[in-house]
Amino acid sequence: MANVKVIYGSTTGATESAAAEIAAAFGVQAINISNATAADFQADLLILGSSTWGVGELQDDWAAKIGLLEHADLKGKLAAVFGLGDQSGFADTYCDAMGILAQKAKGQGATLIGQTSSEGYGHSSSVAEEGNMFCGLALDDNNESEKTSSRIGAWVEQLKQHL
Ligand SMILES: Cc1cc2nc3c(=O)[nH]c(=O)nc-3n(C[C@H](O)[C@H](O)[C@H](O)COP(=O)(O)O)c2cc1C
């Protein structure tokens, strides 16, 4: 059985509830980055989630604990990222924090999985996007909360194919 960990940062609860849904699909409990330790970054598949705050910044608790990711040894491990953002109110920095987490995880040697199509979203730019793909799962509870559960369900199935 693969060791899967889900680590998230959330200010108003949107990323927390997405993390709980994703973690439940893998039969684990999501870990709030506020309570995370270095040991939590040791997993066969590390799933990292952050909402975006400020203008394209990591969620505050992630910003405070980003050193854990920057020092994690992820060589030979899989990582996947998800993000919560507002594609209408922050169209130019939509889900940027997810892109920041992806870059850092790759920088530590992880193989990133779980990329998704960015077609059908209404943003104009995102550091989490390359071509017409997001580096992970982009969620938007501000504008499209009705799509969140089905997006999570499809993404979890996509991730499970790698395990
Ligand atoms: C002050 C403020 C700044 C924000 N900045 C961004 C942003 O740059 N990009 C984005 O996609 N969403 C942005 N958002 C939207 C939040 O990421 C979104 O509401 C998210 O669902 C919050 O998730 P959380 O409750 O897990 O923290 C911002 C929201 C606020 C209130």
Side-chain angles (χ1 to χ4, degrees):
M1 188 72 178
N3 176 2
V4 178
K5 301 234 173 78
V6 180
I7 304 176
Y8 70 92
S10 181
T11 300
T12 62
T15 311
E16 179 170 38
S17 62
E21 212 170 316
I22 292 164
F26 288 97
V28 298
Q29 295 274 328
I31 300 163
N32 190 318
I33 183 63
S34 304
N35 306 320
T37 64
D40 293 322
F41 284 75
Q42 292 166 10
D44 301 312
L45 170 59
L46 192 57
I47 303 177
L48 306 174
S50 177
S51 47
T52 299
W53 286 86
V55 181
E57 289 161 25
L58 282 174
Q59 189 271 344
D60 277 354
D61 301 315
W62 260 118
K65 301 280 288 276
I66 196 64
L68 289 177
L69 177 56
E70 290 172 341
H71 292 104
D73 179 6
L74 303 181
K75 285 189 278 303
K77 309 290 185 192
L78 300 176
V81 292
F82 67 99
L84 272 284
D86 176 350
Q87 65 193 284
S88 162
F90 295 89
D92 291 339
T93 55
Y94 178 55
C95 282
D96 274 10
M98 170 168 80
I100 296 170
L101 292 181
Q103 284 305 325
K104 290 190 185 290
K106 282 198 288 188
Q108 295 312 109
T111 299
L112 201 69
I113 62 170
Q115 290 84 357
T116 64
S117 171
S118 60
E119 279 169 27
Y121 290 79
H123 65 296
S124 47
S125 103
S126 170
V127 304
E129 187 179 30
E130 208 177 287
N132 61 354
M133 295 296 283
F134 283 122
C135 58
L137 176 67
L139 299 171
D140 183 345
D141 277 7
N142 295 67
N143 304 290
E144 300 182 335
S145 60
E146 74 286 355
K147 295 187 179 171
T148 293
S149 274
S150 59
R151 283 173 169 164
I152 287 174
W155 192 60
V156 163
E157 290 313 309
Q158 185 181 336
L159 298 184
K160 282 184 174 175
Q161 288 174 11
H162 293 267
L163 298 179

